[in-house]
Amino acid sequence: MGEVDFAAMRAAMVASQLRTSDVSDDAVIMAMARVPREDFVPPARRETAYIDRSIPLGEGKAMNPPLATGRLLTVAQIRPGEKVLLIGDATGYAAAVLDHMGAQVTAVADDARPKAVPAAVQWVKGDAAKGHAKGAPYDAIIVDGAIAELPKMLAAQLVDNGRVAMGRIERGVTRLCSGRKAGDALGFVSHADMEMACVPGLEAKAQEFVF
């Protein structure tokens, strides 16, 4: 078997998965065209790095399809220099793409820092639902996957008029959503049904105590 041409696979991903499916932010496209996605998947799955499906990582985790990452970052409207809190990025790929886009990235996940993550990314191993209040406030929060609802502790770490992009699980269907904070309120808009990996621990709504 010959050597895999990952550069050609990356170019094909951009042409057939991103540009044809509403990934319209040139900064997102450029970053995903340059960041080697194959460096962020398990070695045994490198050849599947650019398929248009989620990639299983074990322990109930998965890596989002390229289209989900592209659409998520497009609706987030990230600009260079913005402070971004990234939640649930198990592999570090989304963090690397955001870093390439010029964002100041703080990533919170329950995994150890992946080797391929750029040095400029602050990687915090911890509870994704709690975020990283020490670095707040953030211009944007990106959830790298699907969750039932955004924890209040995370919403509190946004600047006023700050943005959120995530997958929201509604009645068994995952929808790509974006939101904006106004005072204590956070409203969301649904963009499209989307295949996205669930973020472990955040896929069910928080239960209220009943007395």
Side-chain angles (χ1 to χ4, degrees), residues 5-30:
D5 188 346
F6 287 114
M9 293 172 69
R10 197 175 310 120
M13 172 196 71
V14 170
S16 63
Q17 296 182 47
L18 304 186
R19 292 190 181 277
T20 60
S21 303
D22 294 327
V23 180
S24 55
D25 189 323
D26 288 340
V28 174
I29 292 174
M30 184 178 297

Side-chain angles (χ1 to χ4, degrees), residues 164 168 178-182 185-189:
V164 177
R168 173 182 274 178
S178 63
R180 192 174 290 270
K181 184 178 180 180
L186 186 59
F188 285 93
V189 174

Side-chain angles (χ1 to χ4, degrees), residues 35-46:
V35 175
R37 185 175 161 92
E38 66 274 13
D39 291 347
F40 295 88
V41 300
R45 296 186 179 275
R46 280 174 62 85

Side-chain angles (χ1 to χ4, degrees), residues 43-93:
R45 296 186 179 275
R46 280 174 62 85
E47 293 186 11
T48 67
Y50 295 94
I51 62 172
D52 59 353
R53 297 188 300 277
S54 298
I55 298 176
L57 302 173
E59 299 181 353
K61 300 174 183 177
M63 185 179 187
N64 276 329
L67 177 57
T69 300
R71 290 292 305 274
L72 187 69
L73 299 184
T74 295
V75 301
Q77 301 179 345
I78 302 300
R79 296 297 174 257
E82 289 191 317
K83 291 177 62 177
V84 177
L85 178 63
L86 177 62
I87 300 298
D89 180 13
T91 69
Y93 175 69

